[in-house]
Amino acid sequence: MTVQASGAYTLTVGEVAAASGVAASAVRFYEQHGVVHAQRTAGDQRRFDDSAACRIRVAKVAQRVGLTVREIAEIFDRLPEQPRPEDWGQVAETLIREAEERTAALRSYLSQMRSGGRLCEM
């Protein structure tokens, strides 16, 4: 997984939204939940660094795996301020492990449902 190095906080909400494929309201949502971080200008406008769009794209994948926004923010909190490719590799490994565990659990639920037993006893 490759991520651009964080730099100055120069990107607007709209620029991050366009680069990450989400609405501006989603950028603010991810900021509110700690997935991305912004600094405020003298005019009280949000500015994001160049890693914000990548973080949101990774968060969207993690959500499809089944992680909550809170879980995603906790994973990102473990990243150093200037993450290296190997740091992002650890994020990828975490997401892979979570996806595999959740897939195994889902397969188990499917097997139980197919067994003909009572659903409320699963």
Side-chain angles (χ1 to χ4, degrees), residues 49-118:
D49 72 0
D50 57 2
S51 73
C54 179
R55 286 175 179 251
I56 290 172
R57 288 191 305 270
V58 171
K60 288 171 43 179
V61 169
Q63 285 178 287
R64 286 192 290 271
V65 167
L67 276 74
T68 65
V69 176
R70 173 174 279 180
E71 290 170 320
I72 298 162
E74 288 172 1
I75 291 168
F76 286 169
D77 283 345
R78 292 184 284 232
L79 286 170
E81 190 167 320
Q82 298 291 324
R84 300 172 315 227
E86 52 270 16
D87 298 318
W88 284 104
Q90 290 176 345
V91 170
E93 287 301 318
T94 299
L95 295 180
I96 290 166
R97 185 175 53 256
E98 284 291 331
E100 288 173 345
E101 289 173 4
R102 291 166 192 242
T103 300
L106 288 171
R107 288 183 204 275
S108 173
Y109 298 143
L110 286 171
S111 177
Q112 291 174 31
M113 287 188 278
R114 288 183 178 126
S115 73
R118 293 182 55 190

